[in-house]
């Protein structure tokens, strides 16, 4: 359960208590009884809270009802199959526990309040206090409820529940009697008006309704689980584990779920939860049961392989079918964990018996691979933490089935075992250093002696609680963008309870497991067994660093951490996952991105403030979105208010965050290894990005992120090339006007020169011409390295280019603006950088020829208030040249505003290209740092104009 949910529940209780307090205090008809004073107000306020709590506390334990409701709700909302994870911190059971704490708190207030009330009534000569305690209906039922609830609370304590689960189970059913007493508690009518009328809350109605729902749910579960099932087989494994296999056509489960098992031959009323260790694709349902307590020990004895049975050397099948008991099944319950297949790298962590949850998941993965069903999972690391070395043999039997063994052999799964008990250092003979003769510790394991780490004081954790059934889901899944590491999500897994474990008795199991290792019959390799507590900070950092070095890059790979075990370790894992995910860009390891976050936080605007508050009262966005990492709102409260509208923006910001970190990750950017010149006979297809990259021989783009990177740097040369090339995707009528075709025909005559034949009629040297491309108001396009523009030159191998970048921000790449006019020569390209305004550069660059000169205005902002006046003297000069002029815009609004500005000025011009989307626009989003809700694609749209020409005709025409 999240802190927010706990806070809301507690606040609701305070509000209800305050309402009951004020209702009693301000009711003039209760002035007589209110002479008691403050205590009567408190007892009545607590009674109102108890009335709601006692009705609500039953509902979270109605497993079957909640499962049906979740499935129906998810189906109506088209969200897939809904499931509720029982036994987890975000599950209905955790709400049941939290409500129980509030019941206890308000029960104490109610009882103490009435003790004072009865004492005050005695002082007011309204009867002895003892008569109110034990001589009234309310007093008698109240003390009976107090007695029953005391028994329930005591047996529900964690330590008692672990030692004697049956006591907890049976005494908790006293709740039915409590409900009966609670329904009749107000029958005596202690609180009456001045004229003797009863003034109660009518809480018996809610109690009866909730009790009927609970009884109906239990009846439904009893009917569904009443079917007697015959076991198909039972298998006894070395280490005391029992495997039960059966068929049940009406049970439809998914990996990671569990069922409740009842064996009438052992007990008619005891139901114990066990994880399903088979895959839904298999014909049989399998349960693996470790003999840890009385009930499981009796099951072993029933099958002929109890705790007193001599140790098994190998797996034994129970061949006497008369020994196979009849069973009953209730379930399945719990949330499925097929999410493992949705990650590139999965880390499964189990402590103690919590590792059982992952057996069915691994078998399901094997079946998926056999059926060649696609999944993105590349590697899976399985971590098991235990303080009892005797469990090693049980662990081996759990995962040594042929199906999961193949996964271990293929290298898809790596296994890591940690023993945290100091005794295990001497008991496990398979991880010693040959050089020093001492114990060899893994660099990711913390030794057992006290140790101060660089992460400060760590909570000590073990699987003690886990073995007793404290398998809890601690947090909601984390899905956070990455700073410089992978996307790491904590996906905790609830696990069913188990019986108490036996004490460590011998070390022979460890020795036998070591012998099996030498024979090659075990999945456990000596190099994978460690002594100490695993340092998951080291593990996660190592995974993050590895992904940084890999080709795929940190932004593309996703790492899922799945956990089943004790809460203390879960909190540590959650902390490390958050740290490695580096959700906020202000925590990025890259200074440039941290500076960007600081600028946005200081100069940006909160989305809610900008919409609802005046400009002078709007606050900067100091709160970072937990999903995308960008500062988006001034507070968490505004973030929650704007959460629905923020979803699309969040997706874009998350994508930008990952792209920026990937570009700066230091990995080898293979997508930027561009091809060189192409043979003149090979055709180039400019229909779209995909066909161009393919026909030009670029390396295969295996991800959308790589495509975004490439399109972002090539959008400028390809926008130019796609317009000027004879294989342009823009066609007459649809995109180009007749005048546009004329202007481009003149340019293409120069760009695609014919071959001059020699006197011997053989091919001679192609004619070389120089075409001038003027990029006015140049900014980002001027900072691109020269080799980027070579992709433009390769489209026209027989043409030399002069590319003029003109404008105050025209700066050569990797250089500071030392001079106002600079030249760079690069093969057939000549780059001219001039930081003056165009009207000053115009005379120097003239004269102009429509066959050799073309102008490009990349996102000029002709209508933007800050640049509008700067462009007014430039546009007439450009139109006077009669050369083609092409412009781009960030989005449709930007394009149309520029068009409107030109048309409203009344210039004499011809349209060359109608406004439309640019085929070679950048696929990478650019965000507005003053308002991160606004994003655009560089060179999204394109248009073209030219100064109007007049045809000269004869007078008689």
């Amino acid at each position: 359960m999240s802190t927010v949910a706990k806070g809301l529940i507690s606040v609701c209780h305070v509000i209800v208590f305050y309402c009951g307090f004020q209702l009693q205090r301000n009711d003039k008809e209760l002035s007589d009884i209110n002479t008691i004073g403050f205590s009567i107000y408190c007892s009545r306020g607590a009674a109102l809270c108890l009335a709601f709590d006692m009705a609500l506390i039953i509902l979270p334990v109605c497993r079957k009802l909640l499962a049906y409701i979740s499935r129906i709700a998810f189906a109506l909302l088209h969200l897939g199959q809904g499931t509720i994870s029982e036994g987890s911190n975000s599950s209905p059971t955790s709400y049941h526990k939290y409500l129980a704490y509030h019941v206890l708190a308000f029960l104490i207030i109610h009882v103490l309040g009435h003790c004072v009330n009865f004492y005050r009534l005695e002082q007011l000569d309204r009867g002895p206090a003892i008569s109110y305690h034990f001589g009234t209906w309310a007093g008698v039922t109240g003390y009976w409820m107090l007695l029953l609830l005391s028994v329930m609370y005591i047996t529900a304590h964690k330590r008692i529940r672990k030692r004697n689960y049956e006591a907890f189970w049976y005494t908790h059913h006293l709740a039915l009697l409590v409900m009966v007493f609670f329904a009749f508690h107000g029958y005596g009518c202690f609180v009456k008006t001045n004229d003797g009328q009863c003034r109660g809350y009518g809480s018996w109605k809610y109690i009866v309704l909730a009790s009927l729902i609970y009884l109906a749910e239990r009846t439904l579960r009893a009917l569904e689980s009443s079917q007697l099932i015959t076991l198909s087989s039972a298998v006894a494994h070395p280490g005391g584990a029992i495997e039960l296999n059966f068929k049940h056509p009406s049970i439809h489960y998914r990996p990671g779920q569990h069922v409740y098992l009842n064996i009438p031959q052992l007990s008619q009323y005891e139901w114990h939860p066990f994880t399903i260790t088979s895959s839904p694709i298999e014909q049989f349902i399998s349960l693996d049961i470790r003999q840890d307590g009385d009930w499981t020990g009796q099951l072993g004895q029933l099958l002929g392989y109890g705790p007193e049975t001599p140790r098994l050397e190998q797996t034994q099948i129970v061949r006497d079918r008369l020994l196979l008991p009849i069973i009953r099944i209730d379930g399945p319950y719990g949330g499925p964990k097929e999410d493992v297949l949705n990650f590139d790298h999965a880390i499964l962590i189990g402590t103690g018996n919590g590792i059982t949850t992952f057996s069915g998941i691994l078998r399901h993965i094997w079946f998926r691979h056999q059926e060649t069903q696609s999944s993105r999972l590349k590697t899976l690391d399985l971590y098991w933490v235990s303080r009892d070395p005797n469990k090693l043999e049980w662990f081996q039997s759990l995962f040594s089935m042929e199906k999961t063994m193949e996964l271990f052999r293929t290298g898809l799964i790596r296994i890591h075992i940690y023993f945290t008990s100091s005794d295990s250092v001497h008991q496990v003979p398979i991880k010693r250093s040959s050089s020093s003769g001492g114990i060899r510790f893994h660099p990711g394991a913390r030794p057992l002696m006290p140790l101060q780490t660089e992460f400060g004081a760590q909570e000590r954790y073990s699987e003690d609680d886990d073995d007793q059934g404290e398998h809890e889901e601690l947090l909601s899944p984390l899905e956070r963008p990455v700073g410089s590491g992978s996307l790491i999500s904590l996906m905790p897994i609830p696990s069913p309870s188990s019986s108490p474990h036996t004490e460590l008795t011998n070390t022979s199991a460890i020795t036998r497991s070591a012998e099996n290792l030498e024979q090659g019959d075990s999945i456990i390799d000596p190099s994978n067994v460690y002594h100490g507590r695993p340092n998951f900070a080291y593990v996660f950092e190592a995974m993050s660093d590895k992904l940084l070095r890999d080709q795929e890059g940190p932004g593309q790979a996703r790492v899922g951490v799945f956990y089943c075990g004790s809460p203390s370790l879960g909190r540590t894992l959650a902390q490390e996952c958050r740290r490695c995910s580096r959700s906020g860009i202000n925590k990025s390891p890259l200074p440039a991105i941290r500076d960007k976050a600081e600028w946005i936080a200081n100069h940006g605007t909160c989305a809610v403030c900008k919409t609802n508050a005046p400009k002078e009262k709007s606050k900067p966005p100091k709160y970072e979105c937990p999903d995308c990492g960008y500062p988006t709102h001034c507070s968490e409260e505004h973030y929650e208010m704007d959460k629905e509208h923020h979803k699309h923006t969040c997706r874009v910001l998350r994508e930008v965050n990952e792209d920026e970190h990937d570009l700066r990750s230091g990995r080898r950017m293979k997508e930027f290894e561009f091809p060189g010149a192409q043979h003149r006979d090979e055709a180039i297809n400019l229909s779209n990005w995909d066909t161009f990259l393919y026909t030009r021989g670029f390396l295969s783009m295996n991800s959308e992120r790589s495509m975004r990177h490439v399109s972002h740097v090539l959008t400028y040369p390809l926008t130019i090339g796609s317009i000027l090339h004879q294989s342009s995707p823009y066609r007459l009528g649809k995109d180009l006007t007749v005048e546009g075709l004329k202007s481009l025909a003149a340019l293409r005559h120069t760009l695609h020169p014919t071959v001059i034949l020699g006197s011997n009629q053989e091919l001679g040297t192609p004619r070389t011409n120089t075409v001038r491309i003027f990029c006015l108001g140049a900014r980002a396009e001027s900072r691109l390295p020269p080799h980027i523009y070579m992709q433009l030159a390769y489209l026209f191998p027989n043409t030399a280019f002069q590319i003029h970048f003109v404008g105050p921000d025209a700066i050569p790449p990797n250089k500071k603006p030392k001079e106002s006019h600079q030249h760079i020569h690069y093969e057939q390209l000549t780059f001219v950088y001039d930081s003056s305004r165009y009207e000053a550069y115009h005379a120097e660059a003239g004269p102009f020829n429509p066959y050799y000169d073309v102008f490009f205005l990349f996102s000029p902002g002709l209508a933007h208030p800050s640049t509008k006046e700067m462009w007014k003297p430039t546009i007439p000069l450009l139109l006077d040249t009669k050369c083609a002029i092409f412009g781009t815009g960030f989005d449709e609004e930007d394009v149309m505003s520029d068009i409107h500005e030109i048309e409203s000025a009344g210039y004499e011009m011809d349209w060359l290209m109608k406004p439309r989307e640019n085929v070679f626009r950048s696929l990478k989003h650019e965000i507005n740092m003053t308002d991160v809700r606004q994003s655009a694609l560089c060179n999204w749209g394109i248009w073209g104009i030219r100064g109007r020409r007049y045809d000269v005709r004869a007078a008689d025409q």
Side-chain angles (χ1 to χ4, degrees):
M1 183 189 300
S2 66
T3 305
V4 174
K6 290 182 178 180
L8 287 175
I9 292 175
S10 298
V11 168
C12 290
H13 278 83
V14 172
I15 293 174
V16 173
F17 176 82
Y18 179 78
C19 291
F21 185 96
Q22 291 296 331
L23 286 174
Q24 179 69 29
R25 180 183 182 181
N26 299 326
D27 195 336
K28 295 181 180 180
E29 296 183 359
L30 299 176
S31 58
D32 187 21
I33 196 171
N34 282 347
T35 56
I36 295 175
F38 182 77
S39 60
I40 189 66
Y41 309 149
C42 292
S43 61
R44 288 286 283 173
L48 186 58
C49 290
L50 290 172
F52 284 104
D53 281 341
M54 294 299 285
L56 294 175
I57 200 170
I58 303 178
L59 301 180
V61 297
C62 298
R63 293 192 294 263
K64 188 71 68 175
L65 177 65
L66 292 176
Y68 285 147
I69 292 175
S70 66
R71 290 171 190 165
I72 293 172
F74 275 66
L76 292 176
L77 296 174
H78 304 287
L79 297 177
Q81 182 173 350
T83 55
I84 296 180
S85 300
E86 182 192 358
S88 67
N89 254 9
S90 59
S91 71
T93 306
S94 63
Y95 288 93
H96 174 81
K97 293 179 182 178
Y98 198 63
L99 286 174
Y101 293 138
H102 286 84
V103 169
L104 178 60
F106 289 105
L107 180 65
I108 293 173
I109 295 174
H110 186 71
V111 171
L112 292 179
H114 273 315
C115 288
V116 176
N117 294 338
F118 299 158
Y119 173 74
R120 289 281 296 137
L121 288 173
E122 187 175 24
Q123 286 185 326
L124 295 172
D125 295 328
R126 297 188 182 182
I130 193 71
S131 64
Y132 287 101
H133 281 288
F134 302 106
T136 62
W137 189 266
V140 172
T141 56
Y143 276 108
W144 270 110
M145 284 191 291
L146 186 62
L147 175 63
L148 296 175
L149 287 172
S150 299
V151 174
M152 291 173 62
Y153 274 103
I154 291 172
T155 56
H157 190 272
K158 183 165 58 176
R159 292 190 177 181
I160 297 178
R161 186 170 73 247
K162 292 175 184 178
R163 293 176 182 273
N164 195 330
Y165 185 83
E166 289 76 11
F168 158 75
W169 175 256
Y170 288 118
T171 57
H172 234 59
H173 284 79
L174 294 174
L176 296 175
L177 281 177
V178 173
M179 295 302 171
V180 173
F181 285 127
F182 198 95
F184 289 96
H185 184 59
Y187 183 74
C189 194
F190 174 73
V191 179
K192 298 180 181 179
T193 60
N194 298 338
D195 55 3
Q197 294 182 1
C198 186
R199 182 61 61 85
Y201 289 130
S203 56
W204 64 272
K205 302 175 184 177
Y206 313 120
I207 299 299
V208 170
L209 177 61
S211 300
L212 289 176
I213 292 175
Y214 175 74
L215 291 174
E217 195 269 348
R218 289 303 297 262
T219 303
L220 177 63
R221 283 171 53 190
L223 291 175
E224 289 191 357
S225 60
S226 61
Q227 180 181 352
L228 298 178
I229 304 171
T230 303
L231 288 176
S232 301
S233 64
V235 181
H237 294 281
I242 300 294
E243 177 185 344
L244 303 181
N245 299 300
F246 58 92
K247 286 186 177 181
H248 198 310
S250 63
I251 293 182
H252 303 284
Y253 66 96
R254 296 165 70 185
Q257 292 187 294
H258 65 272
V259 295
Y260 284 81
L261 172 66
N262 171 259
I263 301 180
Q265 195 169 342
L266 299 181
S267 173
Q268 286 285 344
Y269 306 106
E270 284 191 42
W271 293 81
H272 293 265
F274 294 99
T275 302
I276 301 175
T277 57
S278 56
S279 168
I281 304 175
E282 295 183 80
Q283 296 180 352
F284 293 90
I285 299 176
S286 299
L287 304 178
D288 281 86
I289 302 171
R290 185 169 181 265
Q291 298 184 49
D292 272 346
D294 297 337
W295 189 88
T296 54
Q298 292 175 18
L299 173 60
Q301 291 178 349
L302 185 64
L303 297 173
Y305 297 97
E308 296 81 12
T309 306
R311 180 201 167 268
L312 298 176
E313 297 296 335
Q314 57 185 357
T315 298
Q316 297 288 336
I317 299 177
V318 179
R319 302 192 181 279
D320 188 352
R321 299 193 62 83
L322 297 177
L323 296 178
L324 298 179
I326 301 297
I327 65 172
R328 292 188 294 172
I329 293 296
D330 179 23
Y333 298 107
K337 292 303 164 190
E338 295 169 294
D339 296 344
V340 174
L341 298 170
N342 297 330
F343 291 88
D344 298 281
H345 309 276
I347 300 177
L348 311 184
I349 303 171
T351 60
N353 289 349
I355 198 67
T356 311
T357 304
F358 301 121
S359 176
I361 295 174
L362 297 188
R363 291 172 73 164
H364 185 64
I365 292 174
W366 182 86
F367 276 101
R368 287 284 297 263
H369 277 262
Q370 289 297 110
E371 296 183 356
T372 63
Q373 297 185 28
S374 60
S375 72
R376 62 186 298 176
L377 186 64
K378 298 176 182 176
T379 61
L380 187 149
D381 288 274
L382 180 66
Y383 286 83
W384 180 45
V385 183
S386 175
R387 69 184 308 270
D388 185 358
N390 269 337
K391 293 182 179 180
L392 185 62
E393 201 167 17
W394 162 74
F395 175 87
Q396 178 180 321
S397 66
L398 183 65
F399 292 96
S400 290
M401 293 157 289
E402 181 180 355
K403 299 175 179 59
T404 52
M405 282 285 289
E406 184 173 335
L407 293 176
F408 288 109
R409 286 192 291 266
T410 58
L412 175 65
I413 298 178
R414 299 184 292 260
I415 193 168
H416 314 270
I417 299 174
Y418 291 83
F419 289 115
T420 61
S421 171
S422 56
D423 295 335
S424 67
V425 173
H426 308 290
Q427 293 171 350
V428 184
I430 55 180
K431 188 67 175 179
R432 298 184 180 274
S433 172
S434 59
S435 58
S436 62
I439 300 301
R440 178 188 172 196
F441 292 96
H442 184 261
R446 288 197 294 271
L448 293 170
M449 65 283 294
L451 180 67
Q452 186 72 18
T453 71
E454 65 272 24
F455 300 103
Q458 295 276 351
E459 279 193 78
R460 185 190 182 280
Y461 58 82
S462 70
E463 84 288 356
D464 290 344
D465 292 345
D466 175 74
D467 281 342
Q468 318 307 331
E470 296 300 314
H471 304 257
E472 300 190 21
E473 183 176 1
L474 299 163
L475 295 171
S476 300
L478 301 173
E479 287 260 339
R480 307 209 173 184
V482 187
S484 64
S486 59
L487 177 62
I488 298 184
S489 303
L490 177 63
M491 307 281 285
I493 296 179
S495 171
S497 305
S498 60
S499 303
H501 68 287
T502 56
E503 297 295 329
L504 177 64
T505 56
N506 59 71
T507 63
S508 58
I510 310 302
T511 306
R512 289 191 298 271
S513 184
E515 293 172 354
N516 290 335
L517 294 176
E518 297 175 358
Q519 300 171 5
D521 298 330
S522 175
I523 61 171
I524 304 169
D525 188 271
S527 62
N528 293 332
V529 181
Y530 309 105
H531 305 282
R533 303 184 189 100
N535 186 345
F536 286 107
Y538 173 91
V539 172
F540 293 166
E541 283 290 348
M543 175 70 75
S544 178
D545 292 341
K546 181 179 182 299
L547 293 177
L548 278 172
R549 293 190 301 267
D550 288 348
Q551 176 184 349
E552 59 191 345
Q556 292 174 264
R558 299 180 67 218
V559 178
V561 179
F562 295 79
Y563 172 64
C564 182
S566 59
S568 56
L569 176 55
R571 287 188 287 269
T572 302
L573 291 174
Q575 177 184 352
E576 296 304 332
C577 283
R578 294 191 194 100
R579 187 178 64 83
C580 288
S581 294
R582 297 189 181 100
S583 59
I585 62 174
N586 68 337
K587 300 180 182 67
S588 170
L590 304 174
I593 296 182
R594 290 199 303 270
D595 293 342
K596 179 180 180 180
E598 184 178 358
W599 196 98
I600 294 174
N602 292 329
H603 302 89
T605 55
C606 168
V608 177
C609 289
K610 187 173 183 178
T611 304
N612 303 327
K615 185 176 181 180
E616 59 273 10
K617 292 186 178 180
S618 61
K619 300 177 182 178
K622 300 292 184 181
Y623 178 78
E624 291 183 343
C625 170
D627 291 327
C628 66
Y630 268 82
T632 55
H633 298 81
C634 64
S635 64
E636 185 175 2
E637 180 183 1
H638 277 193
Y639 169 77
E640 293 294 336
M641 291 172 56
D642 193 46
K643 204 167 186 179
E644 282 299 316
H645 297 89
H646 179 63
K647 284 183 178 179
H648 172 70
T649 304
C650 182
R651 180 189 63 79
V652 174
L653 292 177
R654 180 191 179 108
E655 181 182 283
V656 172
N657 185 5
E658 294 176 353
D659 286 352
E660 290 181 349
H661 281 93
D662 186 41
L663 284 171
R664 296 168 173 84
S665 65
R667 70 175 177 91
R668 181 184 175 186
M669 310 291 288
K670 287 190 174 182
E671 53 265 53
F672 289 146
E673 297 177 6
F674 296 160
Q678 194 163 341
H679 194 277
R680 66 180 71 252
D681 293 333
E682 294 181 357
I684 297 174
N685 191 323
L686 290 168
S687 299
N688 51 53
W689 278 113
D690 291 326
T691 58
F692 168 75
L693 297 176
Y694 176 75
T695 55
R696 272 287 289 125
F698 279 72
L699 294 177
S700 177
M701 302 294 167
N702 294 322
S703 68
E704 293 182 2
R705 174 162 294 111
S706 296
M707 182 67 82
R708 290 197 295 269
H709 290 338
V710 172
S711 68
H712 188 58
V713 296
L714 288 183
T715 181
Y716 295 104
L718 265 296
T719 295
I720 298 172
S722 64
I723 294 174
L724 303 182
H725 201 273
Q726 61 185 4
S727 300
S728 172
Y730 307 113
R731 296 288 183 264
L732 177 65
K734 181 180 179 182
D735 310 303
L736 298 175
T737 64
V738 174
E739 293 299 322
L741 187 59
K742 291 178 181 179
S743 288
L744 290 178
L747 289 166
R748 290 168 184 170
H749 179 269
T750 307
L751 292 166
H752 300 282
T754 57
V755 176
I756 304 174
L757 297 179
S759 58
N760 57 359
Q761 297 301 310
E762 294 180 359
L763 287 178
T765 304
R767 185 175 77 247
T768 300
N769 303 290
T770 300
V771 172
R772 296 193 301 175
I773 300 173
F774 293 87
C775 298
L776 307 187
R779 298 183 299 276
E781 60 267 33
S782 68
R783 295 178 175 85
L784 291 176
H787 75 271
I788 298 295
Y789 283 96
M790 283 303 298
Q791 297 303 316
L792 169 64
Y794 292 146
L795 297 177
F796 311 95
N798 301 319
T799 304
F801 288 94
Q802 283 186 9
I803 303 180
H804 296 249
F805 298 106
V806 184
D809 297 321
I811 302 172
N814 303 322
K815 292 186 179 182
K816 295 183 179 180
K818 296 180 180 179
E819 302 176 4
S820 61
H821 191 86
Q822 301 180 58
H823 288 75
I824 296 178
H825 299 281
Y826 192 91
E827 298 188 19
Q828 68 191 80
L829 299 175
T830 299
F831 298 93
V832 180
Y833 301 87
D834 196 293
S835 58
S836 62
R837 300 279 292 272
Y838 177 74
E839 51 267 31
Y841 188 69
H842 179 75
E844 179 184 342
F848 298 92
N849 188 329
Y851 281 80
Y852 295 95
D853 300 321
V854 62
F855 294 91
F856 280 88
L857 284 60
F858 290 109
S859 303
L862 301 180
H864 196 275
S866 63
T867 55
K868 182 177 180 179
E869 295 300 322
M870 297 170 56
W871 283 105
K872 281 187 176 180
T874 301
I875 299 299
L877 295 175
L878 298 180
L879 294 175
D880 286 343
T881 65
K882 309 302 181 184
C883 295
I885 306 166
F886 294 94
T888 67
F890 284 115
D891 52 30
E892 185 176 6
E893 182 181 356
D894 185 32
V895 170
M896 297 313 297
S897 62
D898 285 350
I899 296 300
H900 177 72
E901 182 66 22
I902 295 174
E903 291 181 333
S904 62
Y907 298 121
E908 291 190 349
M909 62 181 187
D910 293 317
W911 281 104
L912 307 184
M913 177 183 286
K914 303 173 185 177
R916 58 151 293 158
E917 286 189 40
N918 181 12
V919 172
F920 288 93
R921 63 187 177 275
S922 171
L923 303 179
K924 180 180 182 294
H925 285 275
E926 302 285 344
I927 64 168
N928 181 356
M929 292 177 61
T930 59
D931 187 353
V932 294
R933 292 178 301 172
Q934 299 175 359
S935 63
L937 301 175
C938 184
N939 300 330
W940 175 87
I942 191 167
W943 48 268
I945 60 175
R946 186 199 63 208
R948 177 164 295 170
R949 295 176 182 173
Y950 294 93
D951 294 334
V952 179
R953 299 182 182 179
D956 57 354
Q957 294 179 349

